[in-house]
Amino acid sequence: MTIVAKAEQPIGVFDSGVGGLTVVNKLRHLLPHEDIIYVGDTKRNPYGTRTQNEILTFTEQIIAFLERRQVKLIVFACNTATAVAYMKMREKTKTLLLGMSRGIETARHISTENRIAVFATPLTIANHVHRDEAAQLDPSLTIVEQPCASLAALIERGQLNTEEMRQAVTADTKPVLEAHVDTAIFGCTHYPFVQPLFEEICGDSIVFVDPAHETALQASAILKKEGLLNGQKERGRLRLCFTAEVQRGQKLAAHLLPPHEFTTEEVVLS
């Protein structure tokens, strides 16, 4: 049973840090009149190396925070939280929930060789969610899973154009290039921040898929189905909440979003 929501209520979006802003960016383009409250758990980032129990606890706290702000839909803009906590939270939460899209549907239409790589955090890879979804969707697909231990943390620190980042991306793409895939999914919302570097290192051999667009489309479909699309004519308000280092979050947000379109604040979840 879901909570009875109203169209004018905001959409809630959350991630372990700044990565979910890639989803917010897509939502802003697709649903410009929606108010959005974003929670980036920058104090406890990264999630990808945490235990499953920790992820469950963090997700429960964030959902409780967003429910207190009366959101009509909560979007998991975090692949790790989606892999670990989404199904459990659906059983416990009355608010409408949407997990992060895997991007498999888009990737399989792009791939001509049916060989698709997934770049993701170690915890997401350990749950094999992309591999399992691909097996159900199309058993002929080969999924090459590539855990990336350091990328999300480097992006959180703003290390987008450093030699350390280049070395990390080079190391993470090497086994994928050797596997001769032709399509790769960003299985972590942080990674599109450095998509140009991925493309530079991989050349024209791989097409990259950002599931943020699919996720935004799914959010739009849910709101339309439930009669919850905001009818206001003004551009929606965007409030970015971070659990630590608000200035860093604000600076990274400005890579994707016009600074005059959002406000930032530090919040406490527990």
Side-chain angles (χ1 to χ4, degrees):
M1 179 180 176
T2 57
I3 294 173
V4 178
K6 298 179 181 179
E8 61 268 23
Q9 292 173 226
I11 299 170
V13 184
F14 79 91
D15 180 44
S16 62
V18 300
L21 294 172
T22 59
V23 177
V24 170
N25 185 37
K26 299 295 184 182
L27 286 168
R28 294 282 285 173
H29 281 95
L30 191 63
L31 300 167
H33 304 298
E34 296 290 342
D35 295 334
I36 297 174
I37 299 175
Y38 177 80
V39 177
D41 194 4
T42 42
K43 185 176 183 178
R44 299 181 294 200
N45 179 275
Y47 279 11
T49 53
R50 295 279 190 171
T51 67
Q52 297 204 18
N53 284 337
E54 285 178 311
I55 301 301
L56 285 168
T57 298
F58 299 165
T59 302
E60 285 181 331
Q61 291 172 348
I62 293 170
I63 287 176
F65 174 89
L66 289 170
E67 286 185 331
R68 288 195 295 271
R69 279 137 191 89
Q70 298 183 318
V71 299
K72 61 187 175 185
L73 169 68
I74 297 176
V75 179
F76 286 52
C78 176
N79 288 272
T80 301
T82 299
V84 174
Y86 175 68
M87 294 306 295
K88 292 182 175 65
M89 292 302 105
R90 281 189 64 184
E91 297 171 1
K92 301 173 64 173
T93 306
K94 294 181 179 180
T95 304
L96 287 170
L97 302 181
L98 174 64
M100 187 69 197
S101 169
R102 314 283 187 222
I104 298 292
E105 184 67 38
T106 297
R108 81 182 183 108
H109 288 300
I110 293 172
S111 178
T112 58
E113 301 296 328
N114 283 357
R115 295 183 62 81
I116 300 168
V118 176
F119 294 99
T121 65
L123 189 52
T124 297
I125 293 296
N127 279 270
H128 304 298
V129 287
H130 292 83
R131 185 193 67 185
D132 294 346
E133 182 172 315
Q136 293 181 357
L137 187 65
D138 185 348
S140 71
L141 295 174
T142 296
I143 303 298
V144 177
E145 299 173 308
Q146 178 57 40
C148 304
S150 62
L151 291 189
L154 287 171
I155 292 166
E156 282 291 324
R157 301 205 311 265
Q159 304 296 310
L160 305 183
N161 299 299
T162 63
E163 183 59 30
E164 187 178 4
M165 175 61 78
R166 176 175 289 276
Q167 290 176 3
V169 173
T170 299
D172 288 335
T173 54
K174 185 175 185 293
V176 168
L177 289 168
E178 292 173 348
H180 302 294
V181 305
D182 62 1
T183 308
I185 297 169
F186 288 130
C188 173
T189 52
H190 286 73
Y191 301 167
F193 273 94
V194 289
Q195 182 170 344
L197 184 55
F198 272 91
E199 292 174 338
E200 177 189 337
I201 292 171
C202 295
D204 296 329
S205 62
I206 296 177
V207 176
F208 291 92
V209 173
D210 177 5
H213 181 65
E214 272 188 28
T215 305
L217 286 172
Q218 291 169 356
S220 177
I222 289 173
L223 294 178
K224 184 176 182 179
K225 178 183 176 182
E226 299 293 333
L228 292 175
L229 287 171
N230 197 322
Q232 68 176 341
K233 300 188 184 304
E234 298 82 12
R235 188 158 179 79
R237 293 166 295 178
L238 174 57
R239 174 182 167 196
L240 305 181
C241 304
F242 299 102
T243 54
E245 300 185 74
V246 174
Q247 288 185 333
R248 177 168 58 82
Q250 184 177 25
K251 182 178 179 181
L252 286 165
H255 281 273
L256 299 174
L257 303 158
H260 68 276
E261 289 192 2
F262 62 83
T263 61
T264 57
E265 62 182 284
E266 185 169 326
V267 298
V268 176
L269 298 176
S270 58

